Structures are given as structure tokens and as C-alpha cells.
Amino acid sequence: MTSRALPQSKEALLKSYNTRLKDDVKSMLDNFEEIVKLAKGEGDSQLSKITQCEQDTYEMQVRAANIVRAGESLMKLVSDIKQYLILNDFHSVNEAITANSQLFRSTQVDCDKKLTTLRDEMALDLYDLEEEYYTSIYK
Amino acid sequence: MSSVEISVEAPIEHQIQEIAYDGTEIYQPPLTLSENLSKCAARIDFSKTSLEDLKKEDDKKGDEDVKDPTQLQSSLWPWDSVRNKLRDAFTEICVLSDVLSIAKEKRYLVLDPVPQELQDTKPMVQVYARKKALSQAANVLMSGAERLRNTHSEQRNNRNDFHIELLRLRQNWRLKKVSNTIIGDLSYRTAGSKFMHPGTFEVTKAEEDPPSDGNSPSSSPAAGAQPPCPKANSALRVNVPSELQGVAYIKVITQKDQEDLCTANVNLMGHGQNITPQVGVWQKTLEFAQNVLFCKELFSQLAREAIQLQAPIPHVVVGNQIRATLLPGIQLIISLCHSTGQDPTPPGPINDHDHVLEHSLHQLLREVHHKNTHHPFPHPASGPLGPSKKHMLAGPMAADRHELLEMSKSQTLLEQIISQAQHIFMRKRTQYVLDTLARDVKDPQIVSHWNLMNSPTMSCVKINIVTHGYDTINRTSLVIHVKERSLKCICRDGRVMHLSYEPQELRDLILCQINQHQSACLLNLAKCMAWQVLSNSNHLGIGPVEPLGNASSCLLASPNGDRMIAVQIICDPQIDVKVYIARSPRQDFFPSPLVPGKFWEHLGGHFKEVRFDKLEGKNFLNKMEFLMASLTSSS
């Protein structure tokens, strides 16, 4: 797919999908590492211990939320990629169109055949019926 | 000791500088005031600021005083040390001001308060705090994961996934993404339409509506026995522009003196009935919208043509209605009905002709679309794609101006539909005339066979006129081509007659044919009966003037020539037959002075009218046969 010469914008879009994926995964990993680091608790800071604990708690929550956000962003990315694929997959669209047109053509041929046979039968019958009708006294 | 105050004063004598060997004391000259001041000033230690320091220093002064004078003297200038110290102080002040300014600027330096040493907390408290923090973080993670899992499983379980629907939509409609929205295309532009309406719609994700979630998956696979209620089970929603919403159809009415003759409704609403079950409800919405677009395009095209066309009786375009005159007194009314209401109102009464005009209008626009995209081969390498094959051949074939003008003539949609409507009208009229004639004229039977292969503007009927029981003797047949405003009759003998749209002309023609049929049959029958045809005229120039041409007549003689039958067939509005018989020579001949010989009787003579309606026989030929037979046998 990438071997084809894609337009500039499409190329950029695909690249942006790639970077989004990497960024999100990286963000998940980084945030998780940070949480683990915080859990180790090697605070050499000058803050008081209580404050330090509060800060760590808050930071862990924020980092956990970051991980969740990255996960949802990944879901969004999946949905975006699906949408992109659906909208730009001309190969399958062409297949669908071909299948549809074949279906309709065969239906058309079918209907035409049926109509033709119906017409022929009706013509035969109608001829007799007309003959009968015009020679009868009921008209 | 503290109670006794002792004042210590400096002695009022000069200090001894040195004692000479002779014992004379050399006194140091007392310090002048300025010297004293400088000495005191030199004593100031600028590095000591606090009062305590000064006091402490006072104690030590004694020792230092010894050295100070030496320094004092060694220095070049008595104020030198003071100046040095002041300069040092000044330097320090400068540095302080610099530091302050740097700290205040906060660009290069930030000052942090240095905490005091804290009170010690127990390590277990920290562990608990950290544990609590971890569990809270874990809670956040778990709830997030739960949410993700829920959405995922919902997508998997729910058959109406947005993307699946989008894929199906994509397979049936043109979609593209414009920034953050998905825009679809309803127009027939890819099929060759040149209608200016953008015809776009927007695809959005449907909001969740929880109450319908429970029943929708169960009802949707159930073979679609009842149409699922819209928006209930579709994860996808289409927003159609407001001018394309609702239901539209084109109504065609043929009116004769304010009385409807036939009505046609072009609506493709039945078209969407057989939606395959995997296609969502949006399909119907989009099809309706596309139908509206199609009807609008059709109507605008027709209205444009109606204004441009130079008809003898100009077409009238008023609002959503086009009026065109088909034949004198007969009008074609094409109107665009567009109901934006949610419930599609069923169209009015549909006649037999509904589908014909509907289909033709539909077909005509489709044909225009088709022509716009499908240019005849070969395509020119240079030059416009538009011209037809005829035009392209015109150059090599050296067509002249007249031919080129002929080529450029093309029928517009309105002209075509008008001619089709005219044809339909003509056909109905012809049918009516033939059927009433067949009903009214009992004697020769008129059998009409409509040809099944016909075009929208041309149909064909074959008429046989036969006499019951005498089919083999004679059969008059003619073919009528029903065109748009005229009829063309082709008789068996090759005569071609062009008739106008007036029904009376056709009626007269058929009556005339009946007349001829009767006389031709009679001649043939006479031949079979071995009677002689003495004379025969299709247009008897004598007798009372008939409304329709002249009566036809023939004169027959019996095999031995003693009897004659004269037949006059009058083509009144009703076919009327008069039969006369004559006998010669009469059986009882009495010579008279006027007619001396019997042979004069052969000249023929007194014709007596036969009461033809009292004769035995089912029809004219049958009666004639009986008559001839009886006259023959009696001789």
C-alpha cells in the first residue's frame, strides 16, 4: 500500500496515525514506569514527608489517568483507522460495486426473460381471446 | 566593688616617647585634634556591626593599640585604612544590590526557602500512604480498563456496529471524509446528471438510546416481517438536507375539458421495498432523498424546456405545474408534488396508465444521463467529446448545411413526453372507436388484434372484417398505425390513407371498408352459386345523397338468366341493405299490342323490393345465399 505514490496529505495522515500510535504506547509505558518509581519512594526531596506522600498520591492518580487516556486514544485511533480504511478502500468498494451491478444485471436479465415469456404467452392467449370476443355476441 | 565608682582618666601628661641616657624624658607631643580623629576613625572595625561586637572589641583594644600606630604610621595617609574599609563596604553593598536584583528578576535565579529540619515521621506511615496512593491509582486504571472493555464487548456483541454500517453504506453510496465529518453524495452526477444541486448528506454516529437496545437485535434478524422502526437499531445516522427530505413524486394528468382522462404518478417509492436485510434503515431515507432529487431535476428540466419551446399553444409553467396542450381540448398537466411531512401520504388513484408514463419519464431522464456520460466510439484524440457519431461522420461524408441542421434537431424531454402522451391518447381513442363499431355493427364482424410489439409513440392494430360462417369467401383486412397525432391505414390492396386525430375519420373509413366487404363478399358468393354478376359499382352515383359517400350496388343474374337480384348497400351511419328481385320473362305472358312478343320480356322489368329483414338467415350473406338458392331452385 505504501509503495504506491500516495498524495501528500494521505501520506501525512498515515504518518500521523503512526506517530499517534507510538506516542500513546510510549505514554502508557512512561507513565507506568513513573508510577513504579514513585512506589519505590526514594524521595530525597526537601519536602516534608506528608506533603511528599500527598504529592505522590496525586501524581500517581494523574499518571494512571494518563494511561487510561492513552488507552482511549488508542481506541479512537483504531476507530479512525477503520474509518479511513472504509472510506478509502477503493478496491473493496469496486468489488462491491461490481457485485452489485452483476446482481442487478442478472436480476434484469431474469426479469426480462420472465417478462418476455409472459408477453409471448399473453400474446398467444390474447389473440385467441380477441378472436373469441369479437365473434361473440357479448361485446 | 560595684558600689564604689572609680573613674579612670588618662593622666594629664604626655606619654614618654623615650628616655635619653642622660635621663631626660622625651615626651611624645600630644595628638592634635585631627590626629586624634583619624586615630579614632582608624579604630573603627567596619566588619563588626553589632553593639556586642563593639563592646567585646573594646576589651581587646588595648593590645591592638600597640600595633595600630605602627600600621598607622606605616600607611602613607592616615585615612587610608578607613577609605579601604569603606570601599570594601561599598563593594559589598554593590554585590548585595546585584544579588537582590537578580533574585527579583527571577530570570537567572530563583530563591527557595530553605526548609527547616523536619520532625521525623515513622516509616510505616509512609508505607501506608504509598499503598493508599497505589490503590487509588489502580482504581483509576481499573475503571478505565473496565470502560474500554465494556465498549469493546458492546461493539463485538452488538451487530449494529458503526463501522459495519459505514462499510455497507460505503458499498452503496459515495462517501468522502472532509476534515472531521463524513460527507456522502446523493446526486446522479456520476451517472451523467448535470443538475446543479449538490445533493450531499452527512453521516454521523447515532447517539445511544438505551431503551431500544433490548429489542432491536431480536427483531432485526426476524426476516423483516415488519419494518423495524427507524433509528432504533442503527448505529449510523444520515442527515439529509432539508430540501431533500420527505417524499416527492411527479403527477401527470391528461385532462379533457377539466375532466381527468388518465393520471400518472412518478414515484419510486415502491423501489425501496426489497431492501436486503443487511442494509440499514438509512437506505430508505437516502433512497427517498435521491428520489426527491431526481424528481426535482426532472421537473426543472421539463420546466426549462416548456419555457424555451415555441409551441403553437404556449406551455404554461405555474409554480409546480406545467400545462401543455396535447390535442385540441386535451391538456397534459405535469406537476411536482413534494410532501415534507414525515408520513408519506399515499398517492391518489392510480390508473392503468400510471406505470407507462411514469416509466417513460423516468426512462427519458435516465437516457439523457446516459448520453451525457457515454459518448459514442471512437473518441476523438482532439476536439470535444460531445458530438454524436453522425456529427463526426459529417465531415468525411461531406454533409451539407441542410443535413447538418437535420442532425442538430433533437427532441427535448417535454416534446418526447408530450408525443408519448399524445400517442397514448390516440391509442385509447382508436381502441374506443374500433370497439364501439364492433359492438354496433353486428353483421360483418370486426376483429381487431393489437400488436404487442410497439414503441412509446407507435403502435399497430390489425383489423379483420369477416362474415360469420363465410370466412373463406372473403376477408377484408387492414392495418392501422397509430402515431402521435395521426393514423395511417394500410389496406390489403396497398392503399395507404393518412387520417388525422379526429375519431370520426376512422369511423368513416371502417364503415366504408364494411361496405366494400359486403359487396365483395356478395360477388364471391354469387360466383360460388354460379350466379352472374351483371354489374357492380362501389360508388353508385344515383339515388339519394348519402352522408358518407355513395352507396354501392351490384346486379346479379341467375344461372339461366331469368331472375335478377339488385342489391344496394347503403353506408349510412348504419349499414343498410336494400334488395330487389326481378323475374324475366314472366311465366304468364299475354301478348299485348304494346309488347307483341315474349322475347321483350328478357329486357327485365319490374323489380320488387324484398323485405330483407324477414328473410331467413343469420346475416346478410346467409340471407343472400338463401335468396339466391331459392331463386335458382324454383327455375
Side-chain angles (χ1 to χ4, degrees):
Chain A
M1 181 160 181
T2 46
S3 65
R4 272 204 323 251
L6 285 174
Q8 202 70 32
S9 59
K10 292 270 165 66
E11 192 88 40
L13 192 65
L14 290 177
K15 267 186 189 151
S16 85
Y17 285 153
N18 227 337
T19 47
R20 271 169 68 185
L21 170 71
K22 279 182 183 157
D23 285 353
D24 285 337
V25 172
K26 192 165 179 295
S27 146
M28 284 175 123
L29 184 65
D30 286 352
N31 280 299
F32 188 70
E33 277 176 354
E34 286 301 319
I35 288 179
V36 171
K37 260 185 214 161
L38 283 175
K40 246 200 259 173
E42 288 173 342
D44 51 351
S45 68
Q46 302 153 322
L47 293 176
S48 78
K49 296 288 180 197
I50 306 278
T51 319
Q52 183 68 42
C53 284
E54 281 301 317
Q55 191 191 338
D56 287 357
T57 312
Y58 184 60
E59 193 175 336
M60 278 190 195
Q61 284 185 19
V62 169
R63 290 195 182 277
N66 269 341
I67 294 178
V68 172
R69 189 203 56 79
E72 294 197 343
S73 166
L74 279 179
M75 294 287 278
K76 177 85 171 63
L77 179 66
V78 169
S79 141
D80 278 357
I81 290 177
K82 273 188 187 174
Q83 216 176 68
Y84 178 82
L85 179 68
I86 288 170
L87 293 183
N88 291 295
D89 188 6
F90 290 103
H91 186 65
S92 81
V93 167
N94 284 340
E95 269 177 13
I97 290 173
T98 317
N100 265 351
S101 76
Q102 267 177 0
L103 177 71
F104 290 141
R105 268 174 216 282
S106 66
T107 318
Q108 186 194 7
V109 170
D110 213 31
C111 288
D112 279 353
K113 260 187 205 161
K114 279 181 186 161
L115 279 175
T116 314
T117 49
L118 187 67
R119 186 204 66 196
D120 290 347
E121 286 171 13
M122 274 178 71
L124 284 175
D125 293 343
L126 191 63
Y127 197 90
D128 293 343
L129 285 172
E130 276 174 347
E131 198 81 40
E132 193 64 31
Y133 168 76
Y134 284 111
T135 51
S136 73
I137 55 166
Y138 308 104
K139 50 190 176 187
Chain B
M1 187 176 163
S2 61
S3 60
V4 183
E5 291 187 353
I6 302 169
S7 66
V8 180
E9 290 180 6
I12 322 167
E13 47 189 34
H14 305 297
Q15 265 185 312
I16 298 167
Q17 193 178 12
E18 66 179 329
I19 301 173
Y21 295 121
D22 57 354
T24 56
E25 296 172 339
I26 300 167
Y27 295 105
Q28 211 174 12
L31 292 170
T32 61
L33 276 176
S34 71
E35 278 174 349
N36 198 22
L37 177 67
S38 64
K39 192 180 162 195
C40 285
R43 255 200 226 145
I44 301 171
D45 186 356
F46 285 92
S47 59
K48 305 289 188 306
T49 51
S50 62
L51 283 173
E52 287 92 13
D53 289 345
L54 284 177
K55 277 173 188 167
K56 280 178 196 166
E57 285 307 303
D58 283 343
D59 301 340
K60 299 175 187 172
K61 264 175 200 167
D63 326 336
E64 288 168 3
D65 282 341
V66 187
K67 296 168 192 169
D68 275 346
T70 56
Q71 285 175 355
L72 205 73
Q73 268 129 32
S74 65
S75 62
L76 296 172
W77 185 56
W79 288 95
D80 196 38
S81 71
V82 174
R83 191 201 64 176
N84 283 343
K85 281 174 180 166
L86 277 178
R87 201 175 57 192
D88 288 349
F90 177 66
T91 311
E92 280 179 27
I93 288 292
C94 280
V95 168
L96 179 63
S97 121
D98 285 349
V99 166
L100 279 179
S101 69
I102 286 172
K104 215 179 136 199
E105 282 288 316
K106 291 193 176 177
R107 227 184 314 162
Y108 312 106
L109 189 70
V110 176
L111 294 185
D112 272 334
V114 176
Q116 296 120 316
E117 201 44 45
L118 338 145
Q119 64 274 39
D120 196 24
T121 48
K122 288 175 198 154
M124 275 314 278
V125 174
Q126 285 189 43
V127 170
Y128 278 132
R130 210 162 278 150
K131 201 172 160 188
K132 195 177 150 205
L134 275 177
S135 76
Q136 279 178 356
N139 273 342
V140 172
L141 279 180
M142 289 299 280
S143 66
E146 187 67 27
R147 205 163 56 239
L148 286 186
R149 198 177 296 132
N150 277 345
T151 48
H152 191 68
S153 66
E154 199 175 295
Q155 276 182 7
R156 181 154 298 179
N157 293 339
N158 200 354
R159 293 159 52 90
N160 309 307
D161 181 18
F162 173 73
H163 289 103
I164 302 281
E165 299 248 341
L166 188 66
L167 183 63
R168 293 200 182 114
L169 186 70
R170 179 70 183 103
Q171 284 170 352
N172 289 299
W173 301 89
R174 281 155 50 79
L175 296 178
K176 67 180 171 184
K177 186 150 188 174
V178 177
S179 67
N180 273 334
T181 49
I182 304 175
I183 301 288
D185 189 5
L186 278 176
S187 70
Y188 282 95
R189 214 162 292 133
T190 48
S193 164
K194 285 177 181 165
F195 195 45
M196 286 311 287
H197 197 283
T200 53
F201 64 95
E202 191 188 353
V203 181
T204 52
K205 212 167 184 169
E207 278 80 34
E208 285 297 315
D209 36 358
S212 63
D213 270 358
N215 55 4
S216 60
S218 60
S219 67
S220 58
Q226 54 183 10
C229 86
K231 300 184 188 92
N233 53 0
S234 180
L236 190 143
R237 191 169 295 173
V238 288
N239 292 332
V240 175
S242 59
E243 67 266 26
L244 294 183
Q245 277 170 356
V247 176
Y249 55 94
I250 284 189
K251 196 156 79 175
V252 183
I253 303 173
T254 330
Q255 230 177 29
K256 181 182 183 182
D257 305 332
Q258 307 304 316
E259 174 199 359
D260 289 6
L261 287 179
C262 73
T263 313
N265 293 314
V266 178
N267 55 338
L268 314 174
M269 283 193 300
H271 177 61
Q273 291 288 325
N274 50 354
I275 304 174
T276 40
Q278 69 260 32
V279 179
V281 281
W282 35 261
Q283 179 77 9
K284 216 163 191 174
T285 319
L286 291 182
E287 279 176 2
F288 281 161
Q290 203 173 27
N291 181 26
V292 174
L293 188 66
F294 187 83
C295 289
K296 282 197 168 179
E297 179 179 358
L298 186 57
F299 190 81
S300 73
Q301 171 92 14
L302 288 175
R304 202 169 49 238
E305 289 170 2
I307 290 170
Q308 282 171 358
L309 274 184
Q310 303 288 330
I313 299 171
H315 308 301
V316 185
V317 182
V318 180
N320 276 349
Q321 217 176 46
I322 303 171
R323 280 172 178 268
T325 307
L326 291 181
L327 298 170
I330 295 157
Q331 279 191 322
L332 177 77
I333 300 171
I334 302 173
S335 44
L336 171 71
C337 307
H338 187 187
S339 60
T340 46
Q342 284 300 313
D343 48 342
T345 49
I350 296 175
N351 287 15
D352 298 337
H353 276 295
D354 169 14
H355 302 292
V356 179
L357 274 184
E358 163 194 336
H359 193 249
S360 351
L361 267 177
H362 194 171
Q363 220 173 12
L364 286 173
L365 189 56
R366 300 270 172 185
E367 208 172 315
V368 170
H369 287 174
H370 187 81
K371 269 187 195 157
N372 282 342
T373 47
H374 293 75
H375 301 291
F377 285 103
H379 292 169
S382 64
L385 260 183
S388 66
K389 195 167 187 172
K390 265 187 179 173
H391 275 101
M392 289 197 280
L393 282 175
M397 302 296 279
D400 56 9
R401 183 168 177 278
H402 177 70
E403 279 175 59
L404 278 172
L405 280 180
E406 282 295 311
M407 279 176 206
S408 63
K409 273 181 197 162
S410 63
Q411 271 195 315
T412 58
L413 282 190
L414 189 65
E415 282 174 323
Q416 290 180 60
I417 200 68
I418 283 176
S419 60
Q420 290 190 14
Q422 280 173 342
H423 170 73
I424 288 172
F425 189 74
M426 283 300 288
R427 202 174 56 210
K428 282 170 81 82
R429 211 174 232 186
T430 312
Q431 273 172 346
Y432 177 74
V433 169
L434 290 177
D435 282 354
T436 47
L437 268 178
R439 192 190 59 209
D440 295 342
V441 180
K442 288 272 186 345
D443 187 359
Q445 286 163 338
I446 304 168
V447 182
S448 52
H449 294 296
W450 285 89
N451 205 338
L452 286 138
M453 303 292 285
N454 51 14
S455 81
T457 53
M458 170 95 174
S459 53
C460 189
V461 58
K462 189 183 176 196
I463 298 168
N464 282 328
I465 302 172
V466 293
T467 308
H468 184 66
Y470 297 85
D471 310 11
T472 48
I473 287 184
N474 195 12
R475 168 190 290 257
T476 305
S477 54
L478 69 156
V479 171
I480 300 176
H481 289 182
V482 183
K483 293 181 183 177
E484 295 142 25
R485 289 174 67 97
S486 61
L487 300 176
K488 182 179 171 190
C489 298
I490 304 166
C491 298
R492 200 187 202 161
D493 50 7
R495 277 183 297 171
V496 176
M497 279 158 283
H498 293 276
L499 309 180
S500 78
Y501 52 82
E502 288 294 337
Q504 191 58 41
E505 293 184 18
L506 178 65
R507 198 182 161 83
D508 293 350
L509 176 80
I510 301 292
L511 283 175
C512 189
Q513 290 290 316
I514 290 171
N515 199 339
Q516 287 179 9
H517 169 81
Q518 296 287 52
S519 65
C521 278
L522 183 60
L523 297 183
N524 283 353
L525 183 67
K527 244 178 256 171
C528 294
M529 305 285 290
W531 279 55
Q532 291 169 9
V533 180
L534 298 181
S535 79
N536 171 34
S537 167
N538 272 336
H539 297 285
L540 194 65
I542 54 168
V545 177
E546 307 292 342
L548 288 179
N550 288 307
S552 63
S553 72
C554 68
L555 192 62
L556 306 173
S558 63
N560 57 2
D562 61 340
R563 287 158 201 255
M564 283 197 285
I565 302 177
V567 181
Q568 185 184 21
I569 304 166
I570 302 162
C571 190
D572 220 9
Q574 297 298 322
I575 298 286
D576 194 16
V577 179
K578 284 186 176 153
V579 180
Y580 305 86
I581 55 171
R583 179 173 185 165
S584 63
R586 274 184 286 184
Q587 304 255 303
D588 43 348
F589 178 74
F590 304 104
S592 66
L594 203 60
V595 186
K598 196 181 177 182
F599 59 90
W600 292 108
E601 287 293 321
H602 289 286
L603 284 174
H606 310 289
F607 279 93
K608 286 181 281 185
E609 186 174 355
V610 178
R611 292 178 68 187
F612 199 66
D613 50 334
K614 298 285 183 194
L615 267 176
E616 282 293 325
K618 282 187 279 188
N619 48 36
F620 168 71
L621 278 190
N622 206 355
K623 286 177 180 179
M624 286 306 294
E625 190 183 359
F626 283 152
L627 184 64
M628 286 192 268
S630 64
L631 291 179
T632 312
S633 63
S634 68
S635 61

